[in-house]
Amino acid sequence: MHKTAILYPLFALALWTALVLLQIPIARFRAAARREVTASDFKYGESATVPAYVCIPNRNYMNLLEVPVLFYVACLLLYVTDGASTTLVVLAWAYVALRVLHSLIHLSYNHVYHRLMAFAASNLVLIALWLLAAVHVFTQAPA
């Protein structure tokens, strides 16, 4: 397996994050056109009067900037240490798929328990990714 294979899921999650980011102004402009919000509702973040459908894309975007930072670091660590095994690349793609699933649930029907299951599963995959990355790093012969 080519060492850059571990970067493909990293780019995929970054692209997904950008697509979710685009949902924020779409929701805000739609709400403004319907006169459900004004610019002052966003002066200090989102006021309590902002409808939930406007807040959710922003919250999901924030979710994609929190824990996934550890995913990006793990992928880069595996890349620079030539540790991108097939198993780790599959785990990285599984993480991306679960984060996309989490977003799709959050941005559509938003069932809390379904969202929690996707979120928890993604975190378990991330833990496995880090554990296997650590094994790789600590079992390498010193240079």
Side-chain angles (χ1 to χ4, degrees):
M1 171 167 298
H2 197 271
K3 79 182 249 179
T4 58
I6 195 68
L7 297 178
Y8 301 144
L10 181 149
F11 285 117
L13 188 57
L15 175 62
W16 179 253
T17 302
L19 292 173
V20 171
L21 173 61
L22 288 174
Q23 298 306 305
I24 297 169
I26 291 169
R28 289 179 178 183
F29 284 121
R30 183 178 298 137
R34 294 176 180 164
R35 301 188 195 289
E36 296 173 327
V37 297
T38 64
S40 63
D41 286 318
F42 302 99
K43 189 172 182 178
Y44 303 108
E46 293 175 335
S47 73
T49 61
V50 174
Y53 82 91
V54 178
C55 296
I56 288 174
N58 187 56
R59 185 64 208 132
N60 191 260
Y61 176 68
M62 295 306 297
N63 287 164
L64 290 167
L65 297 178
E66 294 166 347
V67 177
V69 168
L70 296 172
F71 169 74
Y72 294 126
V73 172
C75 289
L76 290 172
L77 172 75
L78 291 164
Y79 175 75
V80 300
T81 62
D82 292 323
S85 68
T86 301
T87 300
L88 288 165
V89 171
V90 168
L91 282 174
W93 277 115
Y95 182 78
V96 171
L98 288 164
R99 289 311 309 223
V100 169
L101 177 62
H102 173 268
S103 290
L104 291 173
I105 294 167
H106 199 185
L107 296 169
S108 61
Y109 68 99
N110 200 18
H111 189 283
V112 174
Y113 292 116
H114 294 169
R115 204 172 84 220
L116 173 63
M117 295 302 288
F119 182 75
S122 73
N123 287 330
L124 291 174
V125 169
L126 184 60
I127 290 167
L129 189 70
W130 268 100
L131 289 173
L132 291 173
V135 168
H136 164 73
V137 168
F138 293 122
T139 58
Q140 295 302 301

